[in-house]
Amino acid sequence: MVLPFASQINNGSIAPAGDDAFKAEVIFCVQGARSPVLSNIYLHFTLDLWFEKKFKAQCQGEAYLVRFADDFVGSFQFRGDAQNFQRQLRERFAQFNLELAEEKTRLLLFGRFAAIERRKHGQRPETFEFLGFKHVCGEDRAGRFALIRIPCTKSCRKFLARAREWLLGHRHWKRRQQQQHLTVMLRGFYQYFALHHCDRKLSWIRHEVQRHWVHALQRRGQRQRISWVYLSDRPWFELPSARTLHPAV
């Protein structure tokens, strides 16, 4: 069982008087640079330690919690543990004036047996998004269960929008300079998302960046339409292709 959550810390959150382990007033800026820092400090006491020292001992099976800033995923062997965690977590957060983001909170069946169980009801295994990746129940070449992670639609859309905005604002730069900057942008994207099963998606990202580039070049002035045949053998139009950078992840 996998239970993805995302929490939001409200302004002026104070620990209960009986909890001497951590008492602090938090001013939480959702879009501010301090948001991840405050989330890590606050949720380490309100969530991480509580899960490891108190809740985990109540579970019937295996239980794990993965958190980054204020986004976290709980994984449980049994449905009852997941449902109990969801109930107790709301109570725990209420003590600290915190609340779960309901639009990001759901209980789902995920893992090696998810496909079998869902197939019995004529359904496909559910997916969820976490830290920019879409997590999918899949199989490897030997037919064994494999966790497949691919860049989610939101991550790709945000990157392409940023690339398009930069190209339109710098369309009068020299082509070699544009190439250098786009290369840096793509390599940064690859550095995070270049996992197994991501090659096709990253190749599509590269193609879309080139398409936006062509569109920006055509807006330089009254020019004839630039064809892909013309651009395919131009050294300045080449952009780096993706390769798996994290084979062990």
Side-chain angles (χ1 to χ4, degrees):
M1 301 297 297
V2 176
L3 191 61
F5 289 98
S7 64
Q8 177 176 345
I9 302 177
N10 294 325
N11 292 345
S13 298
I14 305 177
D19 193 345
D20 295 329
F22 180 67
K23 294 181 180 179
E25 182 172 355
V26 176
I27 299 176
F28 186 80
C29 180
V30 176
Q31 299 295 335
R34 291 176 294 178
S35 170
V37 178
L38 293 177
S39 298
N40 278 322
I41 296 174
Y42 203 72
L43 290 179
H44 173 70
F45 291 94
T46 59
L47 177 61
D48 300 347
L49 294 181
W50 170 78
F51 180 85
E52 290 295 331
K53 294 185 176 182
K54 293 186 178 181
F55 180 81
K56 201 170 183 179
Q58 307 173 21
C59 295
Q60 302 276 331
E62 297 185 35
Y64 303 96
L65 181 72
V66 179
R67 180 180 66 83
F68 181 82
D70 59 351
D71 292 326
F72 51 93
V73 172
S75 303
F76 303 92
Q77 185 176 0
F78 298 115
R79 180 186 296 272
D81 291 336
Q83 294 172 336
N84 188 31
F85 176 70
Q86 186 177 28
R87 178 181 57 81
Q88 291 194 33
L89 183 65
R90 295 184 188 278
E91 297 174 356
R92 172 72 174 176
F93 273 19
Q95 296 175 4
F96 292 86
N97 293 330
L98 306 181
E99 60 183 11
L100 295 171
E102 296 298 334
E103 69 278 3
K104 298 181 179 179
T105 303
R106 62 193 176 112
L107 183 68
L108 60 94
L109 183 65
F110 192 90
R112 65 179 69 250
F113 302 114
I116 300 175
E117 292 296 325
R118 299 277 292 181
R119 195 179 297 119
K120 293 179 181 178
H121 301 86
Q123 301 172 329
R124 300 179 62 181
E126 296 181 83
T127 64
F128 69 95
E129 295 181 1
F130 184 57
L131 300 183
F133 285 96
K134 181 180 180 180
H135 294 67
V136 182
C137 294
E139 296 181 349
D140 59 15
R141 295 180 180 179
R144 297 170 298 190
F145 170 79
L147 173 61
I148 298 177
R149 289 163 294 181
I150 57 177
C152 66
T153 302
K154 182 179 179 180
S155 299
C156 296
R157 188 187 304 120
K158 288 175 64 176
F159 175 77
L160 291 175
R162 190 167 69 250
R164 181 176 181 274
E165 182 180 3
W166 184 89
L167 281 166
L168 293 178
H170 300 82
R171 60 180 178 270
H172 296 295
W173 277 25
K174 294 182 179 179
R175 294 173 178 179
R176 286 290 187 181
Q177 292 177 326
Q178 292 176 330
Q179 180 192 37
Q180 292 174 1
H181 186 85
L182 293 175
T183 296
V184 171
M185 293 184 68
L186 279 172
R187 284 178 176 167
F189 192 81
Y190 296 160
Q191 190 67 33
Y192 184 78
F193 288 103
L195 305 181
H196 283 301
H197 312 291
C198 293
D199 294 345
R200 181 179 299 180
K201 196 72 168 182
L202 296 181
S203 296
W204 176 80
I205 287 288
R206 176 177 176 270
H207 175 79
E208 287 297 298
V209 170
Q210 287 182 314
R211 189 173 65 83
H212 289 317
W213 192 6
V214 172
H215 179 69
L217 291 175
Q218 290 176 342
R219 295 189 61 178
R220 281 185 167 185
Q222 299 297 327
R223 296 173 176 265
Q224 293 183 350
R225 190 175 185 84
I226 304 176
S227 66
W228 283 94
V229 176
Y230 168 79
L231 295 171
S232 60
D233 60 349
R234 303 299 171 186
W236 57 265
F237 193 67
E238 295 179 2
L239 292 176
S241 299
R243 60 185 180 86
T244 303
L245 299 177
H246 311 288
V249 176

